[in-house]
Amino acid sequence: MKNALSAAPETEASNGDELRDATFASLEGHAGTEAAQALTEVVNEQVLKQLAHTEFFGEPKTHRKKLKPAIAAFLADLLSADGKWVYRSLKKDGFTGAPVGARVFIPLQDTMRLLGLVEHREGVAESWFRFDEDGPPLASRRRASRYRPTKKLIALAGEHGISFENSLDHFHYGLPKQPLQKRAASTWDAGRKVQGRRLKFEHTDLSLKLEADVRQLNEFLAKQTFGGGCIHHGYVRIFQNGSAADFNWDQGGRLYSQPADRNYQQQGGEKRLEMTINGSPVVEIDLRASYLTIFYAWHGVQLDRKQDPYVIPGIGEEARAVVKLWVAATFGSTGPLRKWPTVILKDYELEHGHPLDTNRYPPVQLGKVIIKHHPILGQWGQPLKDGRVRTWADLMFDESRVIVAAMQGLMRDGVPSLAVHDSLIVPEEHERRGAMALMGAFGGHFRIGHIPVSPSLKISSRQGEHLFVP
């Protein structure tokens, strides 16, 4: 079988960045239209014909019944990724609790490769270690297998009226079956941040409550109608640093819209404002300087809501974007930023159309000016009163608590909202109610004595932007 697969037709070559940017094949999709069902049936017939007289499925009557749903699930992941790679580990323990089992998927992907329907890249070692100095290098971490549709599969889908652009109209995912995830710490690979691997966990009272909260939000939002290019099929709440000894569901915790990498959260701000909720235009309510406001609150200080925290005397408005970038990069580091990370420089150039002038804005000197204006930033990376050093994951967790609490409050009033990490999207007629929900949730989590901390809110609509005045 292996030799035959080596002859399977492949599409154009891919570079390492494309392989690293692969999205997860959840295998949770299903055929939702007659066209998707017909495509699934055609592929199923080809696979069965290829599998004739093989022992791939061990127990034909048991496993072959599971073949067609597995094909639909794989097609959903392949066609909804816009022609990009998807990944799935072939380790059997990675299929525990999955909608498609290893005994079905492993021979299925083999056969679809042989049929020339999917292109494949083997899982490769990403890091190595030696037991002793002179011993052979051994892989300590491997990249999961990569897949993407070949031109043959793309053409076959096209014959049924299915394309990358409309695939989610034909293949449906339903709500996430496991909306709570615990992940290991993120790593860096060739200058790119790589999400930590998903970890198994035993439920506790706390995790059950967190999962129930996400399910409730998902079920409520599933009853709403989203338009204007809004793609959303439920949230997964992802917690980070799950392998830490003191992990207690208090690191990270953002809500991520599904399907991953193809949802409204991936769109730009202007594009999101074209969306509708239940036929109504939307507004986006942003927590301005969210992390900075939270960091101030940790130290018992209210950030000045009347001033733009990123406009620093002496360097002015023109340096605002660079100041904001320095603050964000500092919160992603273990202390005040001393060197511009390469990935940040690349992102800045991509966003602004020109490189960041590092000679004009050397990070150490720039940091001194910023810390003079915000002395509290000089304490980043140092223990708080409880003796514990906070990180970006703590900031993200506290921010996520505010967002989730605001969404829950709105839900209780029958108002739908969508999260974009540090902002909420609500129907425009509920602009004030959405803003007050964010203000209340923030003040409910952060107080200075008995006084709630008040965040600054920016509201964006199709008509423009303005600051919210309570």
Side-chain angles (χ1 to χ4, degrees), residues 87-403:
Y87 72 89
R88 184 81 199 195
S89 172
L90 297 184
K91 292 182 179 179
K92 292 186 177 180
D93 60 0
F95 289 85
T96 302
V100 177
R103 289 188 178 182
V104 175
F105 181 74
I106 292 175
L108 170 61
Q109 58 86 33
D110 272 339
T111 308
M112 289 182 68
R113 288 161 55 194
L114 183 60
L115 290 168
L117 297 175
V118 294
E119 183 180 356
H120 171 254
R121 288 291 183 273
E122 296 281 358
V124 297
E126 293 188 307
S127 59
W128 303 81
F129 73 99
R130 298 176 189 268
F131 278 117
D132 55 69
E133 186 175 346
D134 298 322
L138 303 172
S140 62
R141 183 164 61 89
R142 298 187 67 85
R143 178 188 295 165
S145 295
R146 263 58 174 168
Y147 306 91
R148 69 178 176 185
T150 61
K151 292 179 180 178
K152 181 178 178 180
L153 178 55
I154 295 169
L156 185 61
E159 293 174 8
H160 292 80
I162 301 174
S163 63
F164 294 148
E165 290 73 21
N166 68 13
S167 59
L168 289 177
D169 293 332
H170 294 281
F171 290 94
H172 302 161
Y173 279 85
L175 297 179
K177 297 177 177 61
Q178 297 175 317
L180 192 69
Q181 289 187 15
K182 173 183 177 181
R183 290 187 174 271
S186 301
T187 58
W188 288 89
D189 178 22
R192 289 172 172 266
K193 192 173 183 180
V194 180
Q195 187 178 48
R197 71 185 187 282
R198 188 170 173 179
L199 302 173
K200 297 179 181 179
F201 63 89
E202 294 288 336
H203 265 301
T204 63
D205 289 344
L206 176 56
S207 66
L208 287 170
K209 172 65 168 59
L210 292 169
E211 184 175 83
D213 288 344
V214 183
R215 289 189 187 280
Q216 187 178 33
L217 279 173
N218 284 345
E219 290 166 3
F220 172 70
L221 292 173
K223 299 174 183 176
Q224 316 305 318
T225 302
F226 301 108
C230 176
I231 297 175
H232 175 66
H233 298 288
Y235 290 112
V236 170
R237 193 173 185 189
I238 299 178
F239 288 83
Q240 314 290 347
N241 300 334
S243 52
D246 60 349
F247 175 81
N248 191 33
W249 302 100
D250 56 0
Q251 302 279 292
R254 277 182 170 172
L255 293 171
Y256 291 90
S257 177
Q258 301 300 300
D261 294 323
R262 191 176 179 187
N263 56 69
Y264 73 90
Q265 289 178 342
Q266 310 303 315
Q267 298 175 335
E270 291 186 5
K271 189 68 176 177
R272 289 197 297 269
L273 291 176
E274 296 177 6
M275 293 168 18
T276 61
I277 299 179
N278 295 330
S280 171
V282 299
V283 296
E284 185 163 341
I285 310 168
D286 178 60
L287 287 166
R288 297 178 74 222
S290 173
Y291 280 5
L292 189 57
T293 306
I294 291 171
F295 188 57
Y296 263 76
W298 286 350
H299 289 83
V301 181
Q302 168 73 60
L303 180 66
D304 188 349
R305 296 178 60 248
K306 297 180 181 179
Q307 302 296 324
D308 187 329
Y310 301 125
V311 177
I312 307 297
I315 54 177
E317 178 75 34
E318 63 179 306
R320 184 185 186 280
V322 182
V323 171
K324 183 176 180 180
L325 193 64
W326 187 93
V327 173
T330 289
F331 284 142
S333 305
T334 56
L337 190 70
R338 301 188 64 82
K339 180 181 179 181
W340 289 114
T342 301
V343 66
I344 283 182
L345 294 177
K346 289 181 178 179
D347 289 345
Y348 180 91
E349 184 171 359
L350 185 65
E351 180 179 353
H352 295 275
H354 60 83
L356 192 154
D357 189 343
T358 56
N359 292 320
R360 186 178 183 184
Y361 300 113
V364 174
Q365 286 80 358
L366 177 63
K368 290 178 180 178
V369 176
I370 295 172
I371 290 172
K372 183 179 179 180
H373 186 68
H374 293 291
I376 209 164
L377 280 173
Q379 301 180 47
W380 178 251
Q382 300 176 18
L384 296 184
K385 291 181 180 180
D386 61 3
R388 189 168 75 83
V389 175
R390 302 301 199 272
T391 71
W392 63 268
D394 296 286
L395 288 168
M396 185 182 289
F397 173 65
D398 274 350
E399 180 185 80
S400 74
R401 290 198 300 168
V402 170
I403 293 295

Side-chain angles (χ1 to χ4, degrees), residues 9-27:
E10 296 184 343
T11 59
E12 58 196 55
S14 294
N15 59 39
D17 287 347
E18 289 179 333
L19 293 170
R20 275 189 291 270
D21 288 341
T23 59
F24 180 60
S26 67
L27 302 178

